Amino acid sequence: MRIGFIGLGKMGLNMALNVMDKQWEVIGFDASSQARERADAATVQTVSTIEALLDSLDEQKIIFLSTPAGRITNSLVEDLLKALDKGDVIIDSGNSNFNDSLKNYQAAKEQGIHFVDCGTSGGMEGARNGACLMVGGDEEAVKIVEPFLKDLACEDGYLYSGKAGSGHYLKMVHNGIEYAMMQAIGEGFQLLEASDYSFDLEKVANVWNHGSVIEAKLMELAEQSFAQDPHLDEIKGEVDASGEAKWTIEEALSLDIPVPTIALSLFVRNQSKISDSFSNKVVASLRHGFGGHAVVKSN
């Protein structure tokens, strides 16, 4: 089974290499010629148009999207639905809003095309070596691509979560929790940095990540950040918010569910655009560590 990858950025290229290691045949496309050149250099076969991509796939076409949420992904799905046939499968592995995924699922279903929403976590390392996948869609559709998705995932890192939209709903809530966890880590290290003690923050993060109840991947990333820049002097405490926490809060409001910690973590990110703080430097470094998100350098 050939898989057509659309989007060969930080996540897409690493996921393509991941499944190629498991003997899956991948044909890739990206609108950026530089991204295609990087993929070619990494031994991923690419084509220069979506039409050429579709022509290179099997009779039942499997398209795997790793593209920015919102207009770009939704437009791609709209264009693909004009070119695909009944029984073909589109997998959206990006951070799409689950409401968009429901609309794309319904549009695909009306044409007999399968749409699978695949929440993806684990950052660039997970993409390359085994991701955490939360997969929603009709069971019939998921069964077609499940061997591929299980090979893409790490051990025990695959979940079929149920009906359409459920995969991206899970990823939305996952990212809301992630915001809150990163904020707590950032605030804790800010307190350590401001204290009268001369803590080696790299060593603190290391010991907390061995047997502690706050042992976590994020703590490992904190250790790596402090190893490179012990007091994060090169980073400005400005943190972007990519949307998922806002969607989590909006969904919580619609269900009358209180999520004060997640809400406050988003508000702190918004406030970070106004003022600088050490806790925000930590959060910015963590986002860079797992997702390659850009950091703002101190002047």
Side-chain angles (χ1 to χ4, degrees):
M1 180 189 294
R2 288 190 182 130
I3 308 295
F5 268 66
I6 298 180
L8 297 170
K10 294 175 294 188
M11 293 294 289
L13 177 56
N14 278 306
M15 287 190 284
L17 294 170
N18 178 351
V19 294
M20 285 171 61
D21 288 344
K22 277 85 172 212
Q23 308 307 310
W24 290 92
E25 189 174 353
V26 168
I27 312 293
F29 167 78
D30 196 291
S32 163
S33 59
Q34 291 94 339
R36 296 198 302 272
E37 288 169 6
R38 285 192 296 271
D40 286 331
T43 71
V44 176
Q45 181 182 346
T46 67
V47 292
S48 58
T49 66
I50 290 180
E51 291 75 18
L53 177 72
L54 297 178
D55 287 343
S56 68
L57 297 179
D58 300 328
E59 183 176 352
Q60 184 179 40
K61 295 174 174 55
I62 310 296
I63 303 293
F64 186 83
L65 303 180
S66 181
T67 49
R71 181 183 56 81
I72 291 176
T73 292
N74 294 336
S75 295
L76 262 174
V77 171
E78 185 177 344
D79 290 341
L80 285 168
L81 292 181
K82 297 173 184 176
L84 293 174
D85 297 318
K86 288 184 178 180
D88 292 342
V89 185
I90 300 172
I91 308 167
D92 178 5
S93 75
N95 282 329
S96 292
N97 187 301
F98 77 97
N99 289 302
D100 285 347
S101 296
L102 286 171
K103 292 175 184 175
N104 289 332
Y105 162 81
Q106 190 57 45
K109 190 177 182 67
E110 288 172 1
Q111 295 184 213
I113 297 169
H114 301 300
F115 181 88
V116 174
D117 54 287
C118 177
T120 306
S121 184
M124 294 182 295
E125 181 182 342
R128 183 64 183 87
N129 299 306
C132 173
L133 303 181
M134 300 145 267
V135 179
D138 292 340
E139 191 169 3
E140 171 193 0
V142 174
K143 287 295 183 186
I144 297 169
V145 296
E146 196 167 62
F148 161 74
L149 293 174
K150 285 186 173 180
D151 275 352
L152 176 60
C154 65
E155 185 176 358
D156 296 327
Y158 170 87
L159 174 68
Y160 171 55
S161 53
K163 65 183 182 179
S166 63
H168 281 152
Y169 192 99
L170 270 182
K171 183 56 167 41
M172 174 189 73
V173 176
H174 165 284
N175 281 24
I177 294 169
E178 175 189 297
Y179 273 51
M181 290 175 68
M182 286 196 289
Q183 187 60 36
I185 291 171
E187 291 174 7
F189 278 105
Q190 178 166 1
L191 185 59
L192 298 182
E193 180 75 355
S195 75
D196 289 335
Y197 298 98
S198 298
F199 291 113
D200 183 323
L201 299 183
E202 178 190 353
K203 291 181 178 178
V204 170
N206 178 274
V207 75
W208 280 353
N209 215 36
H210 288 83
S212 160
V213 296
I214 58 172
E215 181 179 355
K217 178 65 176 177
L218 290 172
M219 195 62 70
E220 178 185 338
L221 294 173
E223 179 185 352
Q224 293 169 6
S225 296
F226 291 128
Q228 296 169 7
D229 185 1
H231 299 283
L232 305 185
D233 293 323
E234 297 181 5
I235 297 176
K236 188 176 181 182
E238 184 175 308
V239 189
D240 286 329
S242 51
E244 294 90 344
K246 180 182 177 183
W247 302 338
T248 304
I249 295 162
E250 290 171 345
E251 178 69 5
L253 288 170
S254 74
L255 297 175
D256 293 326
I257 300 294
V259 288
T261 307
I262 294 172
L264 285 172
S265 70
L266 175 61
F267 297 155
V268 171
R269 291 196 183 193
N270 293 341
Q271 193 262 347
S272 78
K273 301 292 185 178
I274 302 169
S275 66
D276 201 4
S277 75
F278 192 79
S279 65
N280 289 332
K281 291 186 179 196
V282 175
V283 175
S285 74
L286 295 178
R287 293 182 80 245
H288 178 71
F290 69 75
H293 302 289
V295 295
V296 180
K297 296 292 186 178
S298 294
N299 294 326

